[in-house]
Amino acid sequence: MNDNGVTDLTHFLFPDGIEGEVIRDQLHKASTADRICRLKYKEKEKMKDLCLQVHKDRILVICNSKPESLPYELKDEIETESFCLQLFECVNTKELYNHGIPALLMSKKRFEELRRSSCSSTLQMLSDCLAAETGDDVHSIQLARVMKCFMAEGELRLCTSSDSGWMFQKARFMGDHSSGWLLRMSSDPSKDWLIALPITKAQLCGSVTKWVLHASSFLTPQ
């Protein structure tokens, strides 16, 4: 991996400016990785921040929130699935997708504006603003409810190695006690789009597990 590759990977994975020996060690190991996922996930008061590095012969788990801890290795598919279940505190990853609920498309910039003002907006105001952007009254109110009262939130930064360098994907998750939404967006700041997909925590867990193990297309309903 050349210097530009290291710089691009560093800026994408660690935009929060985390530095130190742990990060340098991660980037050194990343030179032989096929895929890398940085996951930040918070549910109630529990916060998790880690990187999963997928190599040809092993999967490494590196904890960013505890730099003193050593990386550990997931040895097989069963251990990887078990790890992801514990990570998201799920019982299983086998929930079926509801293909009848459409995705919502809108401006990423506008969504961020609405998210920042969601605490001071009423549910009706937030829902009306989302509907004006998406053209979908019914599902905009479902998204507005989760934005107002989410209990879990997460961020995924996914990197895939290719002959031409690293390819990047970015997504966020918000969920309440009964439902959730995945927010997919371009990693290119010049592209102003966001797609909101209805998804449960178990479905998110299953998609992350599948991506780590099989490099499948991330969060495409199966």
Side-chain angles (χ1 to χ4, degrees), residues 35-50:
R35 300 185 301 285
I36 303 170
C37 169
R38 183 181 180 188
L39 170 65
K40 296 170 71 176
Y41 184 77
K42 182 179 181 182
E43 187 166 4
K44 297 178 181 178
E45 300 305 316
K46 297 179 181 179
M47 176 68 186
K48 300 166 185 177
D49 182 358
L50 54 87

Side-chain angles (χ1 to χ4, degrees), residues 104-119:
L104 304 178
L105 176 64
M106 63 183 297
S107 157
K108 178 174 67 174
K109 180 179 178 182
R110 180 59 177 149
F111 176 84
E112 291 295 344
E113 291 173 351
L114 294 174
R115 184 185 64 83
R116 287 191 294 269
S117 65
S118 60
C119 292

Side-chain angles (χ1 to χ4, degrees), residues 95-99 103 156 158 169 171 182 184 195 197-199 203-204 206-208 210-211 215-222:
E95 281 192 24
L96 297 176
Y97 287 87
N98 185 342
H99 294 276
L156 290 151
L158 304 160
Q169 288 179 281
L182 184 89
R184 294 184 60 183
I195 299 173
L197 300 162
I199 190 172
Q203 290 165 349
L204 175 67
S207 293
V208 171
K210 188 180 295 183
W211 186 87
S216 58
S217 179
F218 181 63
L219 293 166
T220 299
Q222 298 292 329

Side-chain angles (χ1 to χ4, degrees), residues 1-208:
M1 184 164 51
N2 59 35
D3 290 344
N4 287 339
V6 172
T7 300
D8 291 345
L9 191 63
T10 303
H11 287 166
F12 181 72
L13 283 176
F14 304 106
D16 41 10
I18 295 179
E19 297 178 351
E21 186 175 345
V22 172
I23 303 306
R24 288 192 292 272
D25 185 54
Q26 280 197 60
L27 294 171
H28 176 71
K29 290 183 172 67
S31 62
T32 59
D34 292 329
R35 300 185 301 285
I36 303 170
C37 169
R38 183 181 180 188
L39 170 65
K40 296 170 71 176
Y41 184 77
K42 182 179 181 182
E43 187 166 4
K44 297 178 181 178
E45 300 305 316
K46 297 179 181 179
M47 176 68 186
K48 300 166 185 177
D49 182 358
L50 54 87
C51 282
L52 289 161
Q53 286 193 4
V54 183
H55 297 257
K56 286 182 173 60
D57 58 346
R58 59 180 179 164
I59 298 173
L60 293 177
V61 181
I62 303 165
C63 185
N64 299 313
S65 56
K66 296 180 180 178
E68 71 282 359
S69 62
L70 295 174
Y72 61 97
E73 186 174 333
L74 301 174
K75 298 179 176 61
D76 54 35
E77 185 168 325
I78 292 175
E79 194 169 313
T80 301
E81 290 177 347
S82 178
F83 171 81
C84 290
L85 286 170
Q86 291 179 36
L87 181 64
F88 289 100
E89 298 184 4
C90 290
V91 176
N92 67 75
T93 63
K94 307 302 182 184
E95 281 192 24
L96 297 176
Y97 287 87
N98 185 342
H99 294 276
I101 301 178
L104 304 178
L105 176 64
M106 63 183 297
S107 157
K108 178 174 67 174
K109 180 179 178 182
R110 180 59 177 149
F111 176 84
E112 291 295 344
E113 291 173 351
L114 294 174
R115 184 185 64 83
R116 287 191 294 269
S117 65
S118 60
C119 292
S120 57
S121 299
T122 66
L123 177 61
Q124 189 62 55
M125 288 171 55
L126 182 58
S127 176
D128 289 345
C129 289
L130 286 170
E133 297 295 320
T134 65
D136 187 322
D137 294 339
V138 174
H139 299 103
S140 288
I141 194 167
Q142 295 177 11
L143 176 57
R145 287 194 185 102
V146 174
M147 289 172 67
K148 290 285 290 182
C149 304
F150 64 88
M151 299 173 61
E153 60 177 329
E155 180 185 70
L156 290 151
R157 292 177 178 267
L158 304 160
C159 314
T160 304
S161 180
S162 70
D163 293 338
S164 58
W166 288 98
M167 297 185 296
F168 302 127
Q169 288 179 281
K170 186 165 61 174
R172 297 211 321 247
F173 172 78
M174 295 187 303
D176 60 18
H177 65 282
S178 62
S179 62
W181 289 83
L182 184 89
L183 311 171
R184 294 184 60 183
M185 62 204 78
S186 173
S187 57
D188 183 344
S190 67
K191 296 180 179 178
D192 183 32
W193 59 265
L194 179 145
I195 299 173
L197 300 162
I199 190 172
T200 67
K201 186 172 68 168
Q203 290 165 349
L204 175 67
C205 178
S207 293
V208 171

